Coordinates of all heavy atoms in Angstrom, one line a residue:
M1 N 118.4 74.7 116.4 CA 117.3 75.7 116.5 C 117.8 77.1 116.0 O 117.1 77.8 115.4 CB 116.8 75.7 117.9 CG 115.6 76.5 118.1 SD 114.2 75.8 117.2 CE 113.0 76.8 117.7
V2 N 119.0 77.5 116.5 CA 119.5 78.8 116.1 C 119.7 78.9 114.6 O 119.4 79.9 114.0 CB 120.8 79.1 116.9 CG1 121.4 80.4 116.4 CG2 120.5 79.2 118.4
W3 N 120.2 77.8 114.0 CA 120.4 77.8 112.6 C 119.1 77.9 111.8 O 119.0 78.6 110.8 CB 121.1 76.6 112.1 CG 122.6 76.6 112.5 CD1 123.2 76.0 113.6 CD2 123.6 77.2 111.8 NE1 124.5 76.2 113.6 CE2 124.8 77.0 112.5 CE3 123.7 78.0 110.7 CZ2 126.0 77.5 112.1 CZ3 124.9 78.5 110.2 CH2 126.0 78.3 111.0
L4 N 118.1 77.3 112.3 CA 116.8 77.4 111.6 C 116.2 78.8 111.7 O 115.7 79.3 110.8 CB 115.8 76.4 112.3 CG 114.4 76.2 111.7 CD1 114.5 75.8 110.3 CD2 113.6 75.3 112.5
L5 N 116.3 79.4 112.9 CA 115.9 80.7 113.1 C 116.6 81.7 112.2 O 116.1 82.6 111.6 CB 116.0 81.1 114.6 CG 115.4 82.5 114.9 CD1 114.0 82.6 114.6 CD2 115.7 82.8 116.4
G6 N 117.9 81.5 112.1 CA 118.8 82.4 111.3 C 118.4 82.3 109.8 O 118.4 83.2 109.1
A7 N 118.2 81.0 109.4 CA 117.8 80.8 108.0 C 116.4 81.5 107.7 O 116.2 82.1 106.6 CB 117.7 79.3 107.7
A8 N 115.5 81.4 108.6 CA 114.2 82.0 108.5 C 114.3 83.5 108.4 O 113.7 84.2 107.5 CB 113.2 81.6 109.6
V9 N 115.2 84.1 109.2 CA 115.4 85.6 109.1 C 116.0 86.0 107.8 O 115.6 87.0 107.2 CB 116.3 86.0 110.3 CG1 116.7 87.4 110.1 CG2 115.5 85.9 111.6
L10 N 116.9 85.2 107.3 CA 117.6 85.5 106.0 C 116.5 85.4 104.9 O 116.5 86.2 104.0 CB 118.7 84.6 105.8 CG 120.0 84.9 106.5 CD1 121.1 83.8 106.2 CD2 120.5 86.2 106.1
V11 N 115.7 84.4 104.9 CA 114.7 84.3 103.9 C 113.7 85.4 103.9 O 113.4 86.0 102.9 CB 113.9 82.9 104.0 CG1 112.7 82.9 103.1 CG2 114.9 81.8 103.7
I12 N 113.3 85.8 105.1 CA 112.3 86.9 105.2 C 113.0 88.2 104.8 O 112.4 89.0 104.1 CB 111.8 87.0 106.7 CG1 110.9 85.8 107.0 CG2 111.1 88.3 106.9 CD1 110.5 85.7 108.4
A13 N 114.2 88.4 105.1 CA 115.0 89.6 104.7 C 115.1 89.7 103.2 O 115.0 90.7 102.6 CB 116.3 89.7 105.4
G14 N 115.4 88.5 102.6 CA 115.5 88.5 101.2 C 114.2 88.8 100.4 O 114.2 89.6 99.5
F15 N 113.1 88.3 100.9 CA 111.8 88.6 100.3 C 111.5 90.1 100.5 O 111.1 90.8 99.6 CB 110.7 87.8 100.9 CG 110.6 86.5 100.3 CD1 110.9 85.3 101.0 CD2 110.2 86.4 98.9 CE1 110.7 84.1 100.4 CE2 110.0 85.1 98.3 CZ 110.3 84.0 99.1
G16 N 111.8 90.6 101.7 CA 111.6 92.1 102.0 C 112.4 93.0 101.1 O 112.0 94.0 100.6
A17 N 113.7 92.6 100.9 CA 114.6 93.4 100.0 C 114.1 93.4 98.6 O 114.4 94.3 97.8 CB 116.0 92.8 100.1
A18 N 113.5 92.3 98.2 CA 113.0 92.2 96.8 C 111.6 92.9 96.6 O 111.3 93.5 95.6 CB 112.9 90.8 96.3
L19 N 110.7 92.8 97.6 CA 109.4 93.3 97.5 C 109.2 94.8 97.8 O 108.4 95.4 97.2 CB 108.4 92.5 98.3 CG 108.3 91.0 97.9 CD1 107.3 90.3 98.9 CD2 107.8 90.9 96.5
V20 N 109.9 95.3 98.7 CA 109.8 96.7 99.1 C 110.0 97.7 98.0 O 109.2 98.5 97.7 CB 110.6 97.0 100.4 CG1 110.6 98.5 100.7 CG2 110.0 96.3 101.6
P21 N 111.2 97.6 97.3 CA 111.4 98.5 96.1 C 110.4 98.3 95.0 O 109.9 99.3 94.4 CB 112.8 98.1 95.6 CG 113.5 97.4 96.8 CD 112.4 96.7 97.5
R22 N 109.9 97.1 94.8 CA 108.9 96.9 93.8 C 107.6 97.5 94.2 O 106.9 98.1 93.3 CB 108.7 95.4 93.6 CG 107.9 95.1 92.4 CD 107.8 93.6 92.1 NE 109.2 93.2 91.7 CZ 109.5 91.9 91.7 NH1 108.7 90.9 92.0 NH2 110.7 91.6 91.3
A23 N 107.2 97.4 95.4 CA 106.0 98.1 95.9 C 106.1 99.6 95.8 O 105.1 100.2 95.5 CB 105.7 97.6 97.3
R24 N 107.2 100.1 96.2 CA 107.4 101.6 96.1 C 107.3 102.1 94.6 O 106.7 103.1 94.4 CB 108.7 102.0 96.7 CG 108.7 102.0 98.2 CD 110.1 102.5 98.7 NE 110.1 102.4 100.2 CZ 111.2 102.4 100.9 NH1 112.4 102.6 100.3 NH2 111.1 102.3 102.2
A25 N 107.9 101.3 93.7 CA 107.9 101.7 92.3 C 106.5 101.6 91.8 O 106.0 102.5 91.0 CB 108.8 100.8 91.5
S26 N 105.7 100.6 92.2 CA 104.3 100.5 91.8 C 103.5 101.6 92.3 O 102.7 102.2 91.6 CB 103.8 99.1 92.3 OG 102.4 99.0 91.9
A27 N 103.7 102.0 93.6 CA 102.9 103.1 94.1 C 103.3 104.4 93.4 O 102.4 105.3 93.1 CB 103.2 103.2 95.6
R28 N 104.6 104.6 93.1 CA 105.0 105.8 92.4 C 104.4 105.9 91.0 O 103.9 106.9 90.5 CB 106.5 105.9 92.3 CG 107.0 107.2 91.8 CD 108.5 107.3 91.8 NE 109.0 107.2 93.2 CZ 109.9 106.2 93.6 NH1 110.4 105.4 92.7 NH2 110.3 106.2 94.8
T29 N 104.4 104.7 90.3 CA 103.8 104.7 89.0 C 102.3 105.0 89.0 O 101.8 105.7 88.2 CB 104.0 103.3 88.4 OG1 105.4 103.0 88.3 CG2 103.3 103.2 87.0
A30 N 101.6 104.5 90.0 CA 100.1 104.8 90.1 C 99.9 106.3 90.4 O 99.0 106.9 89.9 CB 99.5 103.9 91.3
A31 N 100.8 106.8 91.3 CA 100.6 108.3 91.6 C 100.9 109.1 90.4 O 100.1 110.1 90.2 CB 101.6 108.6 92.7
V32 N 101.8 108.8 89.6 CA 102.1 109.6 88.4 C 101.0 109.4 87.4 O 100.6 110.4 86.8 CB 103.5 109.1 87.7 CG1 103.6 109.7 86.3 CG2 104.6 109.5 88.6
A33 N 100.4 108.2 87.2 CA 99.3 108.0 86.3 C 98.1 108.8 86.8 O 97.4 109.4 85.9 CB 99.0 106.5 86.2
R34 N 97.8 108.8 88.1 CA 96.7 109.6 88.6 C 96.9 111.1 88.3 O 96.0 111.8 87.9 CB 96.4 109.3 90.1 CG 95.7 108.0 90.3 CD 95.3 107.9 91.8 NE 96.4 108.0 92.7 CZ 97.1 107.0 93.1 NH1 96.8 105.8 92.7 NH2 98.1 107.1 94.0
S35 N 98.1 111.6 88.6 CA 98.4 113.0 88.4 C 98.3 113.4 87.0 O 97.7 114.5 86.6 CB 99.8 113.2 89.0 OG 100.2 114.6 88.7
T36 N 98.8 112.5 86.1 CA 98.7 112.8 84.7 C 97.2 112.9 84.2 O 96.8 113.8 83.4 CB 99.4 111.7 83.9 OG1 100.8 111.7 84.3 CG2 99.4 112.0 82.4
A37 N 96.4 112.0 84.7 CA 95.0 112.0 84.3 C 94.3 113.2 84.8 O 93.5 113.8 84.1 CB 94.3 110.7 84.8
L38 N 94.6 113.6 86.1 CA 93.9 114.8 86.6 C 94.3 116.0 85.8 O 93.5 116.9 85.6 CB 94.2 114.9 88.1 CG 93.6 113.9 89.0 CD1 94.1 114.0 90.4 CD2 92.1 114.0 88.9
A39 N 95.6 116.1 85.5 CA 96.1 117.3 84.7 C 95.4 117.3 83.3 O 95.0 118.4 82.8 CB 97.6 117.2 84.5
A40 N 95.2 116.1 82.7 CA 94.6 116.1 81.4 C 93.1 116.4 81.5 O 92.6 117.1 80.6 CB 94.7 114.7 80.8
I41 N 92.5 116.0 82.5 CA 91.0 116.4 82.7 C 90.9 117.9 82.9 O 90.0 118.5 82.4 CB 90.5 115.6 83.9 CG1 90.3 114.1 83.6 CG2 89.1 116.2 84.4 CD1 90.0 113.2 84.7
D42 N 91.8 118.5 83.7 CA 91.7 119.9 84.0 C 92.0 120.7 82.7 O 91.3 121.7 82.4 CB 92.8 120.4 85.0 CG 92.4 119.9 86.4 OD1 91.2 119.6 86.6 OD2 93.3 119.9 87.3
S43 N 92.9 120.2 81.9 CA 93.2 120.9 80.6 C 92.0 120.8 79.6 O 91.7 121.8 78.9 CB 94.5 120.2 80.0 OG 94.8 120.9 78.8
A44 N 91.4 119.6 79.6 CA 90.2 119.5 78.7 C 89.1 120.4 79.2 O 88.4 121.0 78.4 CB 89.8 118.0 78.7
A45 N 88.9 120.5 80.5 CA 87.8 121.4 81.0 C 88.1 122.8 80.7 O 87.2 123.6 80.3 CB 87.7 121.2 82.5
I46 N 89.4 123.2 80.7 CA 89.7 124.6 80.3 C 89.4 124.8 78.8 O 88.9 125.8 78.4 CB 91.2 124.9 80.7 CG1 91.3 125.0 82.2 CG2 91.7 126.2 80.0 CD1 92.8 125.0 82.6
S47 N 89.8 123.8 78.0 CA 89.5 124.0 76.6 C 88.0 124.0 76.3 O 87.6 124.8 75.4 CB 90.1 122.8 75.8 OG 91.5 122.8 75.9
R48 N 87.2 123.2 77.1 CA 85.8 123.3 76.9 C 85.2 124.6 77.3 O 84.4 125.2 76.5 CB 85.1 122.2 77.8 CG 83.6 122.2 77.8 CD 83.0 121.5 78.9 NE 83.5 122.0 80.2 CZ 83.4 121.3 81.3 NH1 83.0 120.1 81.4 NH2 83.8 121.9 82.4
D49 N 85.7 125.2 78.4 CA 85.2 126.5 78.8 C 85.6 127.6 77.9 O 84.9 128.5 77.7 CB 85.7 126.8 80.3 CG 85.1 125.8 81.3 OD1 84.1 125.1 80.9 OD2 85.6 125.7 82.4
A50 N 86.8 127.5 77.4 CA 87.3 128.5 76.5 C 86.6 128.5 75.1 O 86.5 129.5 74.4 CB 88.8 128.4 76.3
G51 N 86.2 127.3 74.7 CA 85.6 127.1 73.4 C 84.3 127.7 73.3 O 83.9 128.3 72.3
G52 N 83.5 127.6 74.3 CA 82.2 128.2 74.3 C 81.2 127.5 73.4 O 80.2 128.1 73.0
W53 N 81.4 126.3 73.0 CA 80.4 125.6 72.1 C 80.3 124.2 72.6 O 81.1 123.6 73.3 CB 80.8 125.7 70.7 CG 82.1 125.1 70.3 CD1 83.3 125.8 70.5 CD2 82.4 123.9 69.8 NE1 84.3 124.9 70.1 CE2 83.8 123.8 69.7 CE3 81.6 122.8 69.4 CZ2 84.4 122.6 69.2 CZ3 82.2 121.6 68.9 CH2 83.6 121.6 68.8
Y54 N 79.2 123.5 72.2 CA 78.9 122.2 72.7 C 79.4 121.1 71.7 O 79.0 121.2 70.5 CB 77.4 122.1 72.9 CG 77.0 120.7 73.4 CD1 77.2 120.4 74.7 CD2 76.3 119.9 72.6 CE1 76.8 119.2 75.2 CE2 75.9 118.6 73.1 CZ 76.2 118.3 74.4 OH 75.8 117.1 74.9
C55 N 80.1 120.1 72.1 CA 80.5 119.0 71.3 C 80.2 117.7 72.1 O 80.8 117.4 73.1 CB 82.0 119.0 71.1 SG 82.6 117.6 70.1
P56 N 79.1 117.0 71.7 CA 78.6 115.9 72.5 C 79.7 114.8 72.7 O 79.8 114.2 73.8 CB 77.5 115.3 71.7 CG 77.2 116.3 70.5 CD 78.3 117.3 70.5
E57 N 80.5 114.5 71.6 CA 81.5 113.4 71.8 C 82.5 113.8 72.8 O 83.0 113.0 73.6 CB 82.1 113.1 70.4 CG 83.2 112.1 70.5 CD 82.7 110.7 70.8 OE1 81.5 110.5 70.8 OE2 83.5 109.8 71.2
A58 N 83.0 115.1 72.8 CA 84.0 115.5 73.7 C 83.4 115.6 75.1 O 84.1 115.2 76.1 CB 84.5 116.9 73.3
E59 N 82.1 116.0 75.3 CA 81.5 115.9 76.6 C 81.4 114.5 77.1 O 81.7 114.3 78.3 CB 80.1 116.5 76.5 CG 80.0 118.0 76.3 CD 80.3 118.8 77.5 OE1 80.3 118.3 78.6 OE2 80.6 120.0 77.3
R60 N 81.1 113.5 76.3 CA 81.0 112.2 76.7 C 82.4 111.6 77.1 O 82.5 111.0 78.2 CB 80.5 111.3 75.5 CG 80.3 109.8 75.9 CD 80.0 109.0 74.7 NE 81.1 108.9 73.8 CZ 82.1 108.1 74.0 NH1 82.3 107.4 75.1 NH2 83.1 108.0 73.1
L61 N 83.4 112.0 76.4 CA 84.8 111.5 76.7 C 85.2 112.2 78.1 O 85.8 111.5 78.9 CB 85.8 111.9 75.6 CG 85.7 111.1 74.4 CD1 86.5 111.7 73.2 CD2 86.2 109.7 74.6
L62 N 85.0 113.4 78.3 CA 85.4 114.1 79.5 C 84.6 113.5 80.7 O 85.2 113.3 81.8 CB 85.2 115.6 79.4 CG 85.6 116.4 80.6 CD1 87.1 116.2 80.9 CD2 85.3 117.9 80.5
A63 N 83.3 113.2 80.5 CA 82.5 112.6 81.6 C 83.1 111.2 81.9 O 83.1 110.9 83.1 CB 81.1 112.6 81.2
R64 N 83.4 110.5 80.9 CA 84.0 109.2 81.2 C 85.3 109.3 82.0 O 85.6 108.5 82.9 CB 84.2 108.4 79.9 CG 84.8 107.0 80.1 CD 84.9 106.3 78.8 NE 85.4 104.9 79.0 CZ 86.2 104.3 78.2 NH1 86.6 104.8 77.1 NH2 86.6 103.1 78.6
A65 N 86.2 110.2 81.6 CA 87.4 110.4 82.3 C 87.2 110.8 83.7 O 87.8 110.2 84.6 CB 88.3 111.5 81.6
E66 N 86.3 111.7 83.9 CA 86.0 112.1 85.3 C 85.4 111.0 86.1 O 85.7 110.8 87.3 CB 85.0 113.3 85.3 CG 85.7 114.6 84.8 CD 84.7 115.7 84.6 OE1 83.5 115.4 84.5 OE2 85.1 116.9 84.6
L67 N 84.6 110.1 85.5 CA 84.0 109.0 86.2 C 85.0 108.0 86.6 O 85.0 107.4 87.7 CB 82.9 108.3 85.4 CG 82.2 107.1 86.0 CD1 81.4 107.6 87.2 CD2 81.3 106.5 85.0
L68 N 86.0 107.7 85.7 CA 87.0 106.8 86.0 C 87.9 107.2 87.1 O 88.3 106.5 88.0 CB 87.9 106.6 84.7 CG 87.3 105.7 83.6 CD1 88.2 105.8 82.4 CD2 87.3 104.2 84.1
M69 N 88.2 108.5 87.2 CA 89.0 109.1 88.3 C 88.2 109.1 89.6 O 88.7 108.9 90.7 CB 89.5 110.4 87.9 CG 90.6 110.4 86.8 SD 91.9 109.2 87.2 CE 92.7 109.9 88.6
A70 N 86.9 109.3 89.5 CA 86.0 109.4 90.7 C 85.9 108.0 91.4 O 85.8 107.9 92.6 CB 84.7 109.9 90.4
N71 N 86.0 107.0 90.6 CA 85.9 105.6 91.1 C 87.2 105.1 91.7 O 87.3 104.0 92.2 CB 85.5 104.6 90.0 CG 84.0 104.8 89.7 OD1 83.2 105.3 90.5 ND2 83.6 104.4 88.5
R72 N 88.2 105.9 91.6 CA 89.6 105.6 92.2 C 90.1 104.3 91.7 O 90.5 103.4 92.5 CB 89.5 105.6 93.7 CG 89.2 107.0 94.3 CD 89.6 107.0 95.8 NE 89.3 108.3 96.3 CZ 90.3 109.3 96.4 NH1 91.5 109.1 95.9 NH2 90.0 110.5 96.9
G73 N 90.1 104.1 90.4 CA 90.6 102.9 89.8 C 92.1 102.8 89.9 O 92.8 103.7 90.5
G74 N 92.7 101.9 89.4 CA 94.1 101.7 89.4 C 94.9 102.4 88.3 O 94.3 103.4 87.7
T75 N 96.1 102.0 88.1 CA 96.9 102.7 87.1 C 96.3 102.6 85.7 O 96.3 103.6 84.9 CB 98.3 102.0 87.1 OG1 98.8 102.1 88.4 CG2 99.2 102.7 86.1
A76 N 95.7 101.5 85.3 CA 95.1 101.3 84.0 C 93.9 102.2 83.8 O 93.8 102.8 82.8 CB 94.7 99.8 83.8
S77 N 93.1 102.4 84.9 CA 92.0 103.3 84.8 C 92.5 104.7 84.6 O 91.9 105.5 83.9 CB 91.1 103.2 86.0 OG 90.5 101.9 86.1
A78 N 93.5 105.1 85.3 CA 94.0 106.5 85.2 C 94.6 106.7 83.8 O 94.4 107.8 83.2 CB 95.1 106.7 86.2
R79 N 95.2 105.7 83.2 CA 95.7 105.9 81.8 C 94.6 106.0 80.8 O 94.7 106.8 79.9 CB 96.6 104.7 81.5 CG 97.9 104.8 82.2 CD 98.9 103.7 81.8 NE 100.1 103.8 82.5 CZ 100.8 102.8 83.0 NH1 100.4 101.5 82.7 NH2 101.9 103.0 83.6
V80 N 93.5 105.3 81.0 CA 92.4 105.4 80.1 C 91.7 106.7 80.3 O 91.3 107.4 79.3 CB 91.4 104.2 80.4 CG1 90.1 104.5 79.7 CG2 92.0 102.9 80.0
A81 N 91.6 107.2 81.6 CA 91.0 108.5 81.8 C 91.8 109.6 81.2 O 91.3 110.5 80.6 CB 90.9 108.7 83.3
A82 N 93.2 109.5 81.3 CA 94.0 110.5 80.6 C 93.8 110.5 79.1 O 93.8 111.6 78.5 CB 95.5 110.3 81.0
D83 N 93.7 109.3 78.5 CA 93.5 109.2 77.1 C 92.2 109.8 76.7 O 92.1 110.6 75.7 CB 93.6 107.8 76.6 CG 93.4 107.6 75.2 OD1 94.2 108.3 74.4 OD2 92.5 106.8 74.7
C84 N 91.1 109.6 77.4 CA 89.8 110.1 77.1 C 89.8 111.7 77.2 O 89.3 112.3 76.4 CB 88.8 109.6 78.1 SG 88.3 107.9 77.8
A85 N 90.5 112.2 78.3 CA 90.6 113.6 78.4 C 91.4 114.3 77.3 O 91.0 115.3 76.8 CB 91.2 113.9 79.8
R86 N 92.5 113.6 76.9 CA 93.2 114.2 75.8 C 92.4 114.2 74.5 O 92.5 115.2 73.7 CB 94.5 113.4 75.6 CG 95.6 113.7 76.7 CD 96.9 113.0 76.3 NE 97.7 112.9 77.5 CZ 97.9 111.7 78.2 NH1 97.5 110.6 77.7 NH2 98.7 111.7 79.2
R87 N 91.7 113.1 74.2 CA 90.9 113.1 73.0 C 89.8 114.1 73.1 O 89.5 114.8 72.1 CB 90.3 111.7 72.8 CG 91.4 110.7 72.5 CD 90.9 109.3 72.2 NE 89.5 109.0 72.3 CZ 89.0 107.9 72.7 NH1 89.8 106.9 73.0 NH2 87.7 107.7 72.7
A88 N 89.2 114.4 74.2 CA 88.2 115.4 74.4 C 88.8 116.8 74.1 O 88.2 117.6 73.4 CB 87.5 115.3 75.8
E89 N 89.9 117.0 74.7 CA 90.6 118.3 74.4 C 90.9 118.5 73.0 O 90.7 119.6 72.4 CB 91.9 118.4 75.3 CG 92.5 119.8 75.1 CD 93.7 119.9 76.0 OE1 94.2 118.9 76.5 OE2 94.2 121.1 76.1
R90 N 91.4 117.5 72.3 CA 91.6 117.6 70.9 C 90.4 117.9 70.1 O 90.4 118.7 69.1 CB 92.3 116.3 70.3 CG 93.8 116.4 70.4 CD 94.3 115.1 69.8 NE 94.1 114.2 70.9 CZ 94.5 112.9 70.9 NH1 95.1 112.4 69.9 NH2 94.3 112.2 72.0
L91 N 89.3 117.3 70.5 CA 88.0 117.6 69.8 C 87.6 119.1 70.0 O 87.2 119.8 69.1 CB 86.9 116.7 70.3 CG 86.9 115.3 69.8 CD1 85.9 114.4 70.5 CD2 86.6 115.3 68.3
W92 N 87.7 119.6 71.2 CA 87.4 121.0 71.5 C 88.3 122.0 70.8 O 87.9 123.0 70.4 CB 87.3 121.3 73.0 CG 86.0 121.0 73.6 CD1 84.8 121.4 73.2 CD2 85.8 120.1 74.7 NE1 83.8 120.8 74.0 CE2 84.4 120.1 74.9 CE3 86.6 119.4 75.6 CZ2 83.8 119.4 76.0 CZ3 86.0 118.7 76.6 CH2 84.6 118.7 76.8
R93 N 89.6 121.6 70.7 CA 90.5 122.5 70.1 C 90.5 122.5 68.6 O 90.8 123.5 67.9 CB 92.0 122.2 70.6 CG 92.2 122.6 72.0 CD 93.6 122.3 72.3 NE 93.9 122.8 73.7 CZ 95.0 123.5 74.0 NH1 95.8 123.8 73.0 NH2 95.2 123.9 75.2
G94 N 90.2 121.3 68.0 CA 90.4 121.1 66.6 C 89.1 121.1 65.8 O 89.2 121.1 64.6
S95 N 88.0 120.9 66.4 CA 86.8 120.7 65.6 C 86.2 122.1 65.2 O 86.4 123.1 65.9 CB 85.7 120.0 66.5 OG 86.1 118.7 66.7
F96 N 85.5 122.1 64.1 CA 84.9 123.3 63.6 C 83.5 123.3 64.2 O 82.8 122.2 64.3 CB 84.8 123.3 62.1 CG 86.1 123.4 61.5 CD1 86.8 122.3 61.0 CD2 86.8 124.6 61.4 CE1 88.0 122.3 60.4 CE2 88.0 124.7 60.8 CZ 88.7 123.6 60.3
H97 N 83.0 124.4 64.6 CA 81.7 124.5 65.3 C 80.7 125.3 64.5 O 79.8 125.8 65.0 CB 81.8 124.9 66.7 CG 82.6 126.2 66.9 ND1 82.0 127.4 66.7 CD2 83.9 126.4 67.2 CE1 82.9 128.3 67.0 NE2 84.1 127.7 67.2
G98 N 80.9 125.5 63.2 CA 80.0 126.1 62.3 C 79.8 127.5 62.6 O 79.1 128.3 62.1

């Protein structure tokens, strides 16, 4: 009985030793992705306010990025939101507004 209990403890400890670092790394990756997306959204909003002109495509991209972050999606949603915000910022910075 003692050997069985000892083996069970070793198996549980092995799984814990393998899963805990992986879970921490995953949480850290998600936090970095969310932070990056929020920074890109803020930067795009500043470019929009500084530009002083209306670009429908950039507005759509920024709204999509904000919606993705508002829904508290995972790492993939945060990466898509960051990409949308960066594209919106490029439109506001680089487009000609007549």
